[in-house]
Amino acid sequence: MTRPLRADISLSAIAHNYALAKRTAPKSKVFAVVKANAYGHGLKRVARVLRDADGFATLELDSAIQLRKLGIESPILMLEGFFGEEEINIFANYNLTTSIRDVEAAKQLADADIQAPLDVFLKFNTGMNRLGIAGPMSGFAIGLAATHKNFGKVTLMTHFATADGVEGVAWQMKRFEDIVKSAKTSLAKKGFTQSVANSAALLRFQKTHLDWVRPGIMLYGSSPFAERTAEEIGLKAVMTLRSEIIGVQTLEKGDVVGYGASYIAQKKMRVGIVACGYADGYPRHAPGTNEHGTPVIVSGKRTRTIGRVSMDMLAVDLTDIPHAKVGAPVCLWGEGLPADEVATAAGTVAYELFCALAPRVPVVEVE
Ligand SMILES: *Cc1c(COP(=O)(O)O)cnc(C)c1O
């Protein structure tokens, strides 16, 4: 017997979700975004399923090298570019496509001593104000990319702050299109392509598809939208976190559960203890008060967490699931219980749940 917690990863669901991205943006090439260990799903695993993807996007250099060593020959886009001049040579050796996140990076590339040019994604700050070349400096960066021998194929790129929200993308698209317009002359001879869409933009705004789309979260079966479920979009859950009931308690009215005694039984009730805690990646802030619980499925029936999440365990209400005993199957999220729902209850997003999956949780690949 081993501890019953495990993460099932559905390989066919990954392929299904990638195919949906392709179908939704049929004229575009697709970068499968696999940063953060493929959003916690395992870089190698996802790369194996999507080996024929048009390209991969990541930002960890060791991940990019791993992809090349797996035999991936398609473009690999480094979303944050290189860190320091010494990385430029490594980028060149592995034929990585670099994002140019500011004018400084453009100058560093121009000054680098490399044998072959690097393909570049000039990233412009169109309003998110995280990374990106500022509008007034766009001409300088574009000029370098158009003429300097160290710059290979050029793609103009930006990233949206509100593609999933009411503000949409128009306000940033307008600024991006102004930059594209200004680039048309200087890049006329060399040519260029464009890339702006994350999952939300890909699914919602056809005019953002352009040459390359960059879906991440949708590949992992989660919805980028608060008000549209993954199922409505046609996505399939990839990760299902499963465990079992490893203990049962009977509480009398007034008894409490867990650290801080934050849950107080209002009546006689049955409580199940699940082998899964925050050291496994389950969010500690998932509510389990008398007023608010977090959804969980036990023996195929929906119930809720009660009390605080501990490091290795959490408690669930079994009062209405009398047949659930020690050994009863538990689904924390995934098939039958969207990670998005659990994330919303816990005040976060499925991205964070997936990325937080702890290395100690065994992964089982399922078809
Ligand atoms: C992470 C990332 C994406 C993917 O975003 P999703 O919301 O997961 O689709 C796309 N582009 C850039 C620049 C990113 O950093």
Side-chain angles (χ1 to χ4, degrees):
M1 277 281 287
T2 49
R3 185 166 182 254
L5 179 65
R6 67 174 201 269
D8 287 349
I9 303 277
S10 166
L11 304 184
S12 59
I14 299 170
H16 168 93
N17 297 335
Y18 178 83
L20 182 72
K22 282 297 279 184
R23 267 203 317 283
T24 310
K27 291 180 186 149
S28 310
K29 289 191 185 175
V30 175
F31 276 119
V33 179
V34 292
K35 62 191 176 192
N37 193 29
Y39 291 45
H41 292 70
L43 174 73
K44 279 187 176 174
R45 179 175 300 118
V46 172
R48 211 177 342 111
V49 177
L50 299 182
R51 61 186 167 275
D52 296 326
D54 302 317
F56 290 87
T58 185
L59 53 84
E60 301 90 349
L61 185 52
D62 58 338
S63 298
I65 293 171
Q66 243 186 57
L67 289 172
R68 284 288 180 245
K69 289 190 168 157
L70 288 170
I72 301 287
E73 290 176 1
S74 51
I76 297 176
L77 171 61
M78 300 299 283
L79 291 164
E80 291 186 348
F82 44 81
F83 289 91
E85 288 156 42
E86 56 293 351
E87 281 192 359
I88 297 177
N89 278 298
I90 307 175
F91 275 43
N93 288 343
Y94 287 98
N95 189 24
L96 307 179
T97 300
T98 188
S99 142
I100 298 289
R101 63 179 186 275
D102 53 24
V103 166
E104 204 45 50
K107 287 182 185 158
Q108 280 181 346
L109 179 55
D111 290 341
D113 180 19
I114 47 176
Q115 304 314 310
L118 283 191
D119 292 341
V120 296
F121 275 52
L122 297 181
K123 180 170 186 172
F124 297 102
N125 175 14
T126 54
M128 190 174 189
N129 288 313
R130 232 171 33 169
L131 294 179
I133 301 158
M137 293 308 288
S138 59
F140 173 80
I142 289 165
L144 257 187
T147 54
H148 196 284
K149 69 167 179 54
N150 285 356
F151 290 72
K153 280 187 258 168
V154 178
T155 305
L156 308 183
M157 164 189 184
T158 196
H159 193 52
F160 296 126
T162 55
D164 59 327
V166 285
E167 302 88 346
V169 297
W171 64 284
Q172 284 185 266
M173 276 305 271
K174 164 84 180 63
R175 295 177 189 177
F176 183 72
E177 281 159 4
D178 285 346
I179 293 168
V180 170
K181 232 180 271 163
S182 74
K184 282 210 164 119
T185 336
S186 32
L187 281 165
K189 230 173 93 199
K190 186 163 186 177
F192 65 92
T193 55
Q194 302 173 56
S195 174
V196 298
N198 56 4
S199 296
L202 188 164
L203 290 166
R204 196 167 160 215
F205 302 107
Q206 198 191 332
K207 72 172 193 312
T208 66
H209 292 172
L210 301 169
D211 300 289
W212 284 95
V213 291
R214 310 187 304 265
I217 195 67
M218 68 176 290
L219 301 180
Y220 308 102
S222 166
S223 168
F225 308 112
E227 64 301 329
R228 221 168 130 203
T229 67
E231 190 180 3
E232 284 163 2
I233 297 167
L235 298 169
K236 288 190 181 165
V238 175
M239 182 194 295
T240 302
L241 189 61
R242 298 185 195 281
S243 190
E244 289 178 7
I245 300 290
I246 59 169
V248 174
Q249 304 292 341
T250 304
L251 305 190
E252 299 298 331
K253 181 173 188 235
D255 285 347
V256 300
V257 181
Y259 286 118
S262 63
Y263 183 89
I264 304 166
Q266 303 297 300
K267 54 180 175 27
K268 187 171 174 161
M269 63 189 294
R270 281 180 80 236
V271 172
I273 305 301
V274 180
C276 181
Y278 61 78
D280 300 300
Y282 196 89
R284 200 184 80 92
H285 290 287
T289 60
N290 286 73
E291 293 76 30
H292 300 284
T294 305
V296 55
I297 291 177
V298 180
S299 297
K301 215 171 157 210
R302 231 178 134 95
T303 180
R304 49 159 295 186
T305 62
I306 57 180
R308 270 193 211 151
V309 175
S310 322
M311 183 183 281
D312 314 304
M313 283 172 259
L314 56 82
V316 297
D317 186 354
L318 295 183
T319 309
D320 295 331
I321 320 177
H323 58 284
K325 312 243 156 61
V326 167
V330 175
C331 171
L332 284 317
W333 64 66
E335 228 182 297
L337 177 60
D340 292 318
E341 254 186 76
V342 177
T344 301
T348 183
V349 287
Y351 297 72
E352 190 180 11
L353 299 186
F354 297 155
C355 291
L357 184 76
R360 81 174 189 183
V361 179
V363 169
V364 179
E365 293 180 358
V366 297
E367 272 315 309

